[in-house]
Amino acid sequence: MEILLYILTGALVGFAVGLTGVGGGSLMTPLLLLFGFPPHIAIGTDLLYASLTKASGVLIHHRQQTINWRVVAVLGAGSVPAAGLTILVLHYFFTGSQTYSHILTSSLGAMLMLTALVLLAKKWLIPAKQQTDPSLQLFYQRHTKLLTWLMGILLGTFVTLSSVGAGAIGTAILLVLYPCLASNRIVGTDLAHAVPLTLVAGLGHVFLGNVDFQLLVSLLIGSLPAIYVGTRIGSRLPDRVMHPVLASTLLALGVKYAFF
């Protein structure tokens, strides 16, 4: 009976991801917490789940040549080592998952709130991207690599602690730092960076004993076909309807986990 519930949960999240385009971590981890899973299991399992479900999307974008691999490399140079270092800190500086669970839930709350704000601000980010001041473009050209690396470090740290942000927040970072990058290349580049980040972070949580493999397989069985169905339906629904509803939900959950 529990396995059926997990399969249905995977289907629900997969359908929502296909419908809204928002990363599964923003939806899956809070849902697993509501079902009673401890934070370390919810976050660790979701990270590995995310790496596996996003991998097929990277292959599609690679074939379509919509990935800027140089940007992926710079982001990954910051995020992947940061993810590994975060895992080592949790392992060596804490005596067990119970001693760092409050850090995980606080990080989750902060990242959910930030994701909600990014969703609400997305319609302003895109026009700003298209009308970037020339002097600002020059600043980005001079410091983009350093800023990208620093953002990678922050993203790697907090995605490892929360399983949230590799999608929506990663996209926002690329929109701001790379105003001349086409939208489809931003999506492809963000996805290509998210896979190794979530894989390294997920394997790190395997090392910590924070992954429930029975739960992981059940979620995958439910989510993969549901993502396809949600995508087909979501293409017919306006973002102005879906994103505010989703953002409000994520904001409320973020406040709950960050402050309560």
Side-chain angles (χ1 to χ4, degrees):
M1 194 67 183
E2 284 185 349
I3 293 177
L4 179 60
L5 176 62
Y6 303 156
I7 292 174
L8 291 175
T9 300
L12 175 63
V13 173
F15 180 75
V17 168
L19 198 66
T20 64
V22 175
S26 304
L27 303 167
M28 182 68 79
T29 302
L31 195 56
L32 293 178
L33 289 176
L34 291 175
F35 283 168
F37 286 95
H40 62 285
I41 296 296
I43 290 169
T45 304
D46 181 56
L47 282 166
L48 213 52
Y49 163 85
S51 68
L52 295 172
T53 53
K54 291 174 186 288
S56 60
V58 174
L59 292 176
I60 294 171
H61 278 281
H62 178 64
R63 289 172 186 165
Q64 296 175 344
Q65 298 183 335
T66 53
I67 298 174
N68 188 318
W69 289 107
R70 289 185 179 181
V71 175
V72 172
V74 177
L75 264 177
S79 65
V80 173
L85 183 60
T86 302
I87 293 295
L88 292 177
V89 169
L90 293 178
H91 177 67
Y92 286 108
F93 290 87
F94 296 88
T95 56
S97 59
Q98 296 301 320
T99 59
Y100 58 71
S101 62
H102 66 287
I103 297 176
L104 300 183
T105 52
S106 296
S107 299
L108 174 63
M111 293 298 278
L112 286 172
M113 288 188 289
L114 187 56
T115 299
L117 294 175
V118 165
L119 286 176
L120 293 172
K122 189 175 180 181
K123 63 181 180 181
W124 290 290
L125 282 175
I126 294 176
K129 164 184 175 294
Q130 296 170 343
Q131 302 173 4
T132 304
D133 185 86
S135 60
L136 193 56
Q137 287 186 14
L138 183 60
F139 174 82
Y140 286 149
Q141 289 172 4
R142 288 177 176 174
H143 305 287
T144 296
K145 186 173 289 188
L146 175 61
L147 291 171
T148 302
W149 179 71
L150 291 173
M151 290 298 101
I153 291 174
L154 290 174
L155 203 57
T157 301
F158 284 99
V159 167
T160 303
L161 292 174
S162 68
S163 79
V164 175
I169 297 174
T171 298
I173 289 171
L174 293 177
L175 280 170
V176 173
L177 293 181
Y178 296 89
C180 297
L181 204 61
S183 296
N184 61 343
R185 288 178 67 80
I186 284 178
V187 173
T189 300
D190 176 62
L191 195 61
H193 166 253
V195 169
L197 169 56
T198 54
L199 179 60
V200 169
L203 291 175
H205 279 276
V206 172
F207 169 71
L208 295 174
N210 294 345
V211 175
D212 184 325
F213 286 99
Q214 181 179 351
L215 172 62
L216 174 64
V217 172
S218 301
L219 294 175
L220 289 171
I221 291 172
S223 67
L224 294 177
I227 290 173
Y228 173 77
V229 175
T231 302
R232 295 295 298 271
I233 297 175
S235 62
R236 303 175 185 177
L237 295 176
D239 286 347
R240 66 177 182 273
V241 173
M242 297 303 303
H243 280 180
V245 173
L246 181 62
S248 300
T249 303
L250 295 181
L251 189 59
L253 288 169
V255 170
K256 169 183 170 57
Y257 292 121
F259 303 111
F260 298 99

